[in-house]
Structures are given as C-alpha cells and as structure tokens.
Amino acid sequence: MSDRAHCLALDAADPLAPLRERFDLPPGVIYLDGNSLGARPKAALERAAQVIGAEWGRDLITSWNTAGWFALPGRLGDLLAPIVGAGPGEVVVTDTTSLNLFKALAAALHLQRATARRVIVTERSNFPTDIYMAEGLTSWLDRGYRLRLVDTPEELAGAIDQDVAVVMLTHVNYRTGYQHDLAAVTAHAQAQGALTVWDLAHSAGAVPVDLHAAKADFAVGCTYKYLNGGPGAPAFIWVPQRHQADFVQPLSGWWGHARPFAMAPAFEPCTGIGRALCGTQPVVSLALVECGLEIFQAADMQAIRAKSLALTDLFIELVERRCGAHPLGLVTPRAHARRGSQVSFTHPHGYAVMQALIARGVIGDYREPHIMRFGFTPLYTRYADVWDAVETLRAILDDQAYDIHARRGAVT
C-alpha cells in the first residue's frame, strides 16, 4: 500500500528525476496541467534573450540567414520527428494545430478526389476545433462532403465504409484520456479505402507514437503541452515521404513556394515537406520550441511511458482509496493500452473543487461536463507530488472547502 515514504523512495530511484532540474517550476506548486500547457524549460529564458536581444536587436533582418531563422521549421521538425516515429524531412513546426489539421484534411480529400467518397468520420467527443475545422472545410466544398460523428470508440469500425474518404481522430482524447490503437484503427480505415489524419496533441511527448510503423497517412499536433514549447507555440504537421509529391493544400503561401524570393506571380509548390508551410514564421516562438525538444534527447520514450503509467496508476489508486467516500467518477480507462498520460475524474461540483485545488497550489484544469483533469508529465512530475495532490484533494472534499458559486474565468 502506497504512502508518502514509498513515493519518496520511488522518486529517489527514478531514472528521469534529474530532468526535473531542467524546468523552472514555481516553489510550493504541484503542476498537473502539462497536458494543457507544459512547464517552462529553464533554457527558454536565455534563448528568448538571445533571439530578441542579439539576433533581432543587433543583427536585425540579416538573422534570417546568419541565425538560421529561415530553416527553423524544418530543423525543429527533424528534432521532433523521432518522438512521433517520423523520418527526417517529414515534419515541419509551423502554424497552429487547427491550421495544420485544415491542410492535412484538405490534402487527404484531394487524394480521394477521383473517388465517390465524401464522408469524414470522427468522434463527437473529439477536440472541438478539429470538428469545427472539418465543418468549415466541407462547407466550402461544393461536392457533397459531410461529417459522420460516432459516440463511442466501439462504433468507429462500423462507421468506416465505402463512403468514407478520411478518418480524422485524436490519438488521446483530451477530455477522458482514452487512447486509440493508432496502428489498428489506421489498418482498418485503409482496408476500407479511407485515409487517416491523426491529431497527436495529447500524445506527442507523453506516449510512444510510431507513425511509420502504423503506416498512418497524415498527423498534426501541438508543441505547448508535453513538448513544453511555450504558450501558443507553433504546432507541427507530418507528411510521410510517400504522400509528399501529391500533397496539395489550399493555404498556398509564399513559404511553401519553390522559389519564394523569385517573387513570381504564380504559385509553384516546393518539393518535400516544405509544401506544408504557408506564411512567414513566428521566429521567437519557434526558437523557444527547441528548448523543450532538446530535453527529449536526454530521455527515452519507453522510460517516459513507464513512469507515466506508474504515476497515473498511483493517482487512481490513492484517489479511490483516500477520497472514496465522495462522489468522484473515474472516466479515464484503467487499461494501460487505452490510457494516455492524464487522469480525469467527475464530481458534481468539479469546477469549484478544481478552483479550490488551484488556490492551494495543486494546478489541474476543468472540462465540461463536471470533469477535473490531471495531467502527468514524467519529465518533471514526482511521485511525492501525486501523494501530496491527493491529500490536498481529500482535505478539500472532506471539509467541503470549495465554493459552488465560484465565478468562472474565461479559461477553465
């Protein structure tokens, strides 16, 4: 049976423990929201000063060449690629997850244009922006495209038929932490003639992903959660070599041009992954992404996954044992193969309870309906943090020390 002494012993034996020192974590805070915004790498502050003070401040526009600004999207993409099982020249860091999803989805539909397939399958519980982007794209296409929403993972296989052009899914569900079998779903979709677009926002850097082994078609994701790239940091898009020559997307900006500084009046796409680029890149934000990615070069994804499962197992065990008298409902799968790196519990006053936790230095977040989310980032979350977080939760629940009339902020 776990107690705090046992948790401290686990921390002492943790091979990932030294990596915590590479993050600037505020004292007195237990940060369990890395699935929404990762903690700041210490190196980010120095890197920001370098980019703003020297590269921009002193060298000005020459830094597009001298500091390698122009090559940043591809160079960062190559750093990120091993984390998701991609190859060199297959990933660029650019734009937002929403924009990259639009590009990937448009490219997938373009590849299916000669067929009669007009259906995009996704989950009703998918992250809303993914559904919104698909709705926006299909509304602009005058060819009968439509969405087909499924309500449970069990319905997914039956929903993929001869009418389906693309299956668009988030690998790990943002609300529940449910993890799809990426390889199995991809194989089933492709066997029915559909292409797959995967959103890796809640899995990249948290769970092992091997896009090549799964033979996936396209993938996107963000860098500001488990990859610790900073608030609103640029996202990424993966296009495998086998699709790059036929990759066509409607946001044909000058950075995706074969010769951008020829200033030609007609668009000519470049070769390779550069086709996924659009406009001028946000250099300061891009530069900070590298600080998070560099930490992964000192970590092994299998070790990260092992600790993630241990942390989430421990959290579930302790909440159910020490807070069992309260109306908490586990919505995250217990099965390791179906769990990402978060744990979600419902409570009738989930928002108020989460606000009370945050006030006491335990930071998670809240999602409708009634869901308290707790994210576990193995690079900096300790086992003792899990114990202390559950003890804080127990005290709040036992004492009903939460305000059910708490005013909601714009971000929950």
Side-chain angles (χ1 to χ4, degrees), residues 194-277:
L195 298 173
T196 57
V197 175
W198 288 97
D199 183 338
L200 306 179
H202 288 267
S203 46
V207 302
V209 177
D210 196 334
L211 292 168
H212 267 296
K215 298 181 173 62
D217 293 297
F218 301 99
V220 301
C222 73
T223 64
Y224 54 77
K225 300 184 194 306
Y226 296 105
L227 298 178
N228 309 297
F236 66 89
I237 180 169
W238 170 73
V239 181
Q241 294 282 354
R242 74 180 193 276
H243 283 323
Q244 287 182 7
D246 297 316
F247 182 83
V248 177
Q249 54 98 359
L251 302 180
S252 47
W254 75 310
W255 275 61
H257 197 283
R259 295 167 292 108
F261 285 90
M263 303 298 178
F267 183 73
E268 177 189 344
C270 67
T271 58
I273 189 61
R275 289 177 171 224
L277 297 174

Side-chain angles (χ1 to χ4, degrees), residues 90-114:
E90 293 188 332
V91 179
V92 282
V93 177
T94 186
D95 295 328
T96 66
T97 306
S98 299
L99 289 177
N100 288 335
L101 183 73
F102 184 90
K103 299 173 196 173
L105 189 56
L109 292 178
H110 184 76
L111 287 172
Q112 296 277 42
R113 67 193 181 282

Side-chain angles (χ1 to χ4, degrees), residues 39-74:
R40 178 175 70 81
K42 290 179 178 176
L45 195 59
E46 181 179 349
R47 179 67 178 123
Q50 178 187 11
V51 174
I52 295 170
E55 295 176 10
W56 176 21
R58 182 191 65 215
D59 299 334
L60 296 165
I61 200 168
T62 66
S63 286
W64 285 108
N65 292 317
T66 60
W69 287 357
F70 190 78
L72 265 177

Side-chain angles (χ1 to χ4, degrees), residues 98-369:
S98 299
L99 289 177
N100 288 335
L101 183 73
F102 184 90
K103 299 173 196 173
L105 189 56
L109 292 178
H110 184 76
L111 287 172
Q112 296 277 42
R113 67 193 181 282
T115 73
R117 297 170 178 271
R118 295 293 181 269
V119 175
I120 300 168
V121 168
T122 192
E123 295 178 290
R124 197 179 307 276
S125 65
N126 199 354
F127 192 74
T129 197
D130 292 28
I131 300 175
Y132 303 160
M133 295 306 286
E135 286 179 339
L137 178 59
T138 56
S139 71
W140 280 92
L141 297 172
D142 188 22
R143 298 182 64 189
Y145 288 99
R146 61 188 176 88
L147 288 178
R148 180 179 295 163
L149 304 180
V150 301
D151 290 304
T152 67
E154 291 72 27
E155 296 176 18
L156 188 58
I160 304 171
D161 57 23
Q162 71 279 358
D163 296 326
V164 176
V166 181
V167 177
M168 177 189 72
L169 295 169
T170 298
H171 184 210
V172 173
N173 186 277
Y174 80 100
R175 184 186 283 121
T176 66
Y178 177 91
Q179 179 177 256
H180 285 286
D181 185 329
L182 192 150
V185 173
T186 296
H188 177 74
Q190 292 174 346
Q192 315 313 310
L195 298 173
T196 57
V197 175
W198 288 97
D199 183 338
L200 306 179
H202 288 267
S203 46
V207 302
V209 177
D210 196 334
L211 292 168
H212 267 296
K215 298 181 173 62
D217 293 297
F218 301 99
V220 301
C222 73
T223 64
Y224 54 77
K225 300 184 194 306
Y226 296 105
L227 298 178
N228 309 297
F236 66 89
I237 180 169
W238 170 73
V239 181
Q241 294 282 354
R242 74 180 193 276
H243 283 323
Q244 287 182 7
D246 297 316
F247 182 83
V248 177
Q249 54 98 359
L251 302 180
S252 47
W254 75 310
W255 275 61
H257 197 283
R259 295 167 292 108
F261 285 90
M263 303 298 178
F267 183 73
E268 177 189 344
C270 67
T271 58
I273 189 61
R275 289 177 171 224
L277 297 174
C278 180
T280 307
Q281 303 299 302
V283 171
V284 177
S285 295
L286 275 174
L288 300 188
V289 170
E290 187 166 9
C291 301
L293 294 179
E294 285 176 340
I295 297 174
F296 280 88
Q297 295 181 310
D300 174 75
M301 281 307 304
Q302 297 303 322
I304 288 173
R305 178 58 170 165
K307 185 179 177 184
S308 165
L309 290 171
L311 289 167
T312 50
D313 279 344
L314 177 64
F315 187 77
I316 293 169
E317 173 209 330
L318 290 175
V319 169
E320 293 185 334
R321 173 156 58 91
R322 303 189 69 77
C323 306
H326 299 283
L328 294 165
L330 177 66
V331 297
T332 301
R334 296 180 189 274
H336 286 181
R338 292 292 171 264
R339 186 196 311 161
S341 196
Q342 72 183 63
V343 178
S344 297
F345 278 96
T346 58
H347 186 278
H349 302 298
Y351 180 79
V353 174
M354 181 54 70
Q355 293 308 300
L357 280 165
I358 293 171
R360 298 191 186 193
V362 178
I363 301 179
D365 65 19
Y366 173 82
R367 294 291 180 266
E368 295 289 357

